[in-house]
């Protein structure tokens, strides 16, 4: 839905934590100063760009909307046409102290003249518009999403990505649809540089998987479980061949070329999928919980099985000690000191999605097995977790017991030298767009990126960023919260249900595939 552009009347404005996002992907500096030569209440706003990589840093920007929010609730909005000059006098706009300026870059809609499309999130900075002294603020951009140089060879949703340190990027599994479809057998490989794929993805191999798990340890990726065909819905694999199970190893080829894919015949519990998989510090992997079908076509059940994979020996060992709570679609993460945290998931009592949502967490270690680690503030499944740094954990997204997306994330702190001492809830920042099935990736400069997923109404397209430099309090949007994904210009689509994500060696994030009414082959790059 396209929204007509209006000169808005004064209204309360909520400052955004998003930073200016221009197509050139630059750092933006806002300098606001009172100009003694302007009428009372007027001032000059200078917009400067640093590190311009293109001759026209305002390429694709028709004009800027500058919103002024005052401490007393008053608000003004002014449109700045042709911002390439970098400076403008704002006569008649009231001055004052503690004013919040929000600048949003807009593009004229050629199809519907008079309408505008947002091409940036609004950057909000507090400035004093009183007196003659200049106030300068340097704002680091929140990041730019752009279209990859080539789409996937096979459009897919629910794939997994493995990004190796040598620059090899492998796309594994997924589905060409959402109901009654076989899993995609071909993998795809691309070579990556510091910021994104450099070569077209090339299909190879035969490893049909859906609802599988992938984890990376050094130059080995473990692929665990999965189904080869999905039945009546995205959560139902009770029809068709639901017993793919099994374990595979993927290794990049020395010097480039087609990666090695080795299926470990007979390894792992047959028919097990939707496991929580984590890499251990010694290069092994541990798979916890999941769904298992007792027989072909039977309703799968949540299990507490724990198995350890040794890639060097190409062997899987089933441990006697299981999780105290069977769970599927949970998440696992190594916290340090050999301790793996398992959170959330669907418990026993149905075919995974029909089971109760689990609130309790468990800490697993090879020496001590699984022990209770407290409960999440909000029970959730189909969520994601990320280590923000030593002793700091982020849990975001997921579906709750009511069948709705969980509205808030959770930040926990713990002793990295002794995770068994317990987790302490630090904060519960709300998501801008609650969702389940989203992907959470840690950014090298701080914080994390949450993309894709869905809610009860369908796919959730926008990405949002948690924290970052100087702001660890909550989430910031990559498009205005009142925006519409359909309003985004070409090349700035941000995600969909079933999007795969991975952090590249250079620190960027690659997003691949997804579902927005049909499978997607799009590859998107996020540059922090």
């Amino acid at each position: 839905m396209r929204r007509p552009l209006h000169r808005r009347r004064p209204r309360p404005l909520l400052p955004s934590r998003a930073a200016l996002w221009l197509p050139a992907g630059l750092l933006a500096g806002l300098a606001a100063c009172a100009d003694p030569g302007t009428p009372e209440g007027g001032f000059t706003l200078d917009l400067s760009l640093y590190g311009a990589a293109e001759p026209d840093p305002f390429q694709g920007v028709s004009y800027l909307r500058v919103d002024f929010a005052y401490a007393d609730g008053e608000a003004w909005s002014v449109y700045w046409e042709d911002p390439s000059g970098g400076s403008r006098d704002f006569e008649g706009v009231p001055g004052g102290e503690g004013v919040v300026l929000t600048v949003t870059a807009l593009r004229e809609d050629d199809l519907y003249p008079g309408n505008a499309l947002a091409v940036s999130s609004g950057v909000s900075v507090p400035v004093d518009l009183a007196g003659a002294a200049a106030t300068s603020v340097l704002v680091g951009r929140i990041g730019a999403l752009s279209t990859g140089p080539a789409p996937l060879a096979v459009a897919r949703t629910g794939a997994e990505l493995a990004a190796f340190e040598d620059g090899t990027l492998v796309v594994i599994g997924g589905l060409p649809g959402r109901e009654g479809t076989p899993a995609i057998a071909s993998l795809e490989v691309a070579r990556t540089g510091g910021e994104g794929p450099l070569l077209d993805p090339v299909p190879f191999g035969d490893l049909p998987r859906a609802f599988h798990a992938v984890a990376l340890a050094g130059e080995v990726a473990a692929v665990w479980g999965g189904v080869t065909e999905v039945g009546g819905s995205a959560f139902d694999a009770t029809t068709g061949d639901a017993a793919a199970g099994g374990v595979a190893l993927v290794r990049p080829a020395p010097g480039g070329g087609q990666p090695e894919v080795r299926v470990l015949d007979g390894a792992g519990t047959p028919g097990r999928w939707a496991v929580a998989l984590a890499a251990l510090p010694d290069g092994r992997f541990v798979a916890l919980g999941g769904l298992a079908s007792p027989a072909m076509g039977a309703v799968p059940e949540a299990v507490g099985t724990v198995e350890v994979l040794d890639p060097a020996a190409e062997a899987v060992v089933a441990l006697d000690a299981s999780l105290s709570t069977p769970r599927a679609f949970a998440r696992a993460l190594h916290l340090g000191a050999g301790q793996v945290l398992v959170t959330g998931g669907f418990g026993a009592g149905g075919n995974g999605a029909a089971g109760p949502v689990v609130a309790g967490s468990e800490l697993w270690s090879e020496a001590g097995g699984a022990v209770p680690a407290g409960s999440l503030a909000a029970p959730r499944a189909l969520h994601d977790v990320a280590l923000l740094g030593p002793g700091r954990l982020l849990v975001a997204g997921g579906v709750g017991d009511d069948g709705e997306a969980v509205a808030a994330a959770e930040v926990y702190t713990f002793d990295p030298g002794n995770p068994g001492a317990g987790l302490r809830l630090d904060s519960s920042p709300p998501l801008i767009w609650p969702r389940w099935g989203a992907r959470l990736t840690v950014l090298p400069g701080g914080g994390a990126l949450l993309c894709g997923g869905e809610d009860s109404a369908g796919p959730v397209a926008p990405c949002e960023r948690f924290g970052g430099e100087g702001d660890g309090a909550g989430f910031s949007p990559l498009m205005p919260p009142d925006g519409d994904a359909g309003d985004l210009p070409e090349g700035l689509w941000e995600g969909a249900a079933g999007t795969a994500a991975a952090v590249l060696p250079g620190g960027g994030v690659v997003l691949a595939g997804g579902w927005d009414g049909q499978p997607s082959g799009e590859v998107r790059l996020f540059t922090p």
Side-chain angles (χ1 to χ4, degrees):
M1 173 181 173
R2 301 184 183 275
R3 294 178 170 80
L5 182 64
H6 302 287
R7 290 186 182 274
R8 296 179 294 175
R9 296 177 179 177
R11 60 179 179 82
L13 296 176
L14 294 177
S16 164
R17 288 183 301 274
L20 185 61
W21 172 22
L22 295 174
L26 308 172
L27 292 180
L30 275 177
C33 63
D35 184 345
T38 60
E40 183 178 355
F43 60 94
T44 298
L45 176 69
D46 293 318
L47 178 67
S48 304
L49 297 177
Y50 302 92
E54 301 177 19
D56 180 10
F58 287 96
Q59 183 177 2
V61 175
S62 301
Y63 39 85
L64 303 178
R65 189 184 73 220
V66 185
D67 298 318
F68 306 84
Y70 299 85
D72 61 2
E74 185 178 7
W76 289 70
S77 295
V78 178
Y79 291 87
W80 179 356
E81 298 179 0
D82 188 20
S84 58
S87 178
R88 172 177 168 171
D89 290 340
F90 290 85
E91 299 183 2
V93 176
E97 297 182 355
V99 181
V100 175
L101 295 184
T102 302
V103 181
T104 305
L106 299 169
R107 184 186 72 175
E108 188 72 33
D109 185 352
D110 295 330
L111 184 60
Y112 300 100
N115 290 290
L117 305 178
V119 297
S120 82
S121 298
V123 53
S124 296
V125 290
V127 295
D128 287 333
L129 303 180
T135 301
S136 299
V137 181
L138 180 65
V139 182
R141 60 183 171 79
I142 195 171
L145 277 161
S146 60
T147 306
L152 298 177
V154 180
R156 59 184 81 200
T157 179
E160 297 288 345
L161 290 177
F164 296 94
E165 287 297 327
D166 73 342
T168 300
L169 178 69
V170 181
V171 185
I172 304 167
L175 294 164
R178 304 208 80 182
E179 298 182 3
T181 56
I184 295 171
S186 65
L187 298 85
E188 300 187 40
V189 61
R191 296 288 299 175
T192 67
E195 295 184 353
L198 299 179
L199 301 179
D200 292 352
V202 177
F204 73 98
D206 183 10
L207 193 66
R209 292 288 190 277
F211 301 117
H212 51 306
V214 173
L216 193 65
E219 291 299 288
V220 179
V223 184
W224 203 296
V227 298
T228 59
E229 185 172 341
V230 173
S233 74
F235 299 122
D236 177 13
T238 60
T239 61
D241 180 7
V247 178
L249 300 174
V250 179
R251 295 182 175 94
Q258 181 175 305
E260 175 194 7
V261 179
R262 183 167 177 80
V263 178
L264 306 185
D265 293 330
T269 301
R272 184 174 168 220
W273 50 286
V275 304
L277 185 64
L280 299 174
D282 60 3
R284 294 180 301 159
F285 300 87
V286 59
L288 307 107
L291 290 170
S293 300
M296 184 64 65
V299 175
E301 300 173 353
V303 298
T305 306
V306 178
E307 294 176 303
V308 174
L309 165 65
D310 184 347
E314 296 190 347
V316 173
V317 176
L319 304 183
D320 292 335
S322 300
L323 296 176
S324 59
T325 302
R327 60 185 79 209
F329 293 105
R331 301 299 288 178
L333 189 65
H334 180 256
L335 300 184
Q339 304 271 346
V340 174
L341 179 70
V342 187
T343 61
F346 294 114
N351 64 343
V357 178
V358 177
S361 300
E362 299 181 53
L363 268 175
W364 175 89
S365 67
E366 197 164 12
V371 297
S375 295
L376 297 176
R380 61 186 77 208
L382 295 169
H383 56 295
D384 210 351
V385 295
L387 274 180
L388 300 176
R392 196 158 179 256
L393 175 77
L394 174 64
V395 181
V399 60
D401 250 336
D402 58 359
E404 297 295 330
V406 181
E410 296 165 23
V411 179
Y412 291 90
T413 59
F414 61 92
D415 180 358
N418 183 23
L423 302 176
R424 298 174 295 277
L425 180 63
D426 180 71
S427 62
S428 298
L431 296 181
I432 299 171
W433 295 280
R435 60 187 85 189
W436 62 73
R439 299 303 179 95
L440 190 62
T441 49
V442 177
L443 301 175
L449 185 71
L450 184 71
C451 286
E454 57 190 301
D455 59 18
S456 56
V460 176
C463 296
E464 49 192 294
R465 177 175 179 169
F466 176 81
E469 294 183 6
D471 179 11
F475 289 86
S476 299
L478 293 192
M479 61 174 281
D482 60 350
D484 189 321
D487 290 344
L488 287 173
E490 182 66 25
L492 298 181
W493 173 94
E494 290 148 318
T499 297
V503 178
L504 298 174
V509 175
V510 61
L511 308 171
W515 178 267
D516 191 8
Q518 61 184 3
S520 171
E522 295 286 357
V523 176
R524 305 285 167 166
L525 309 175
F526 175 84
T527 307

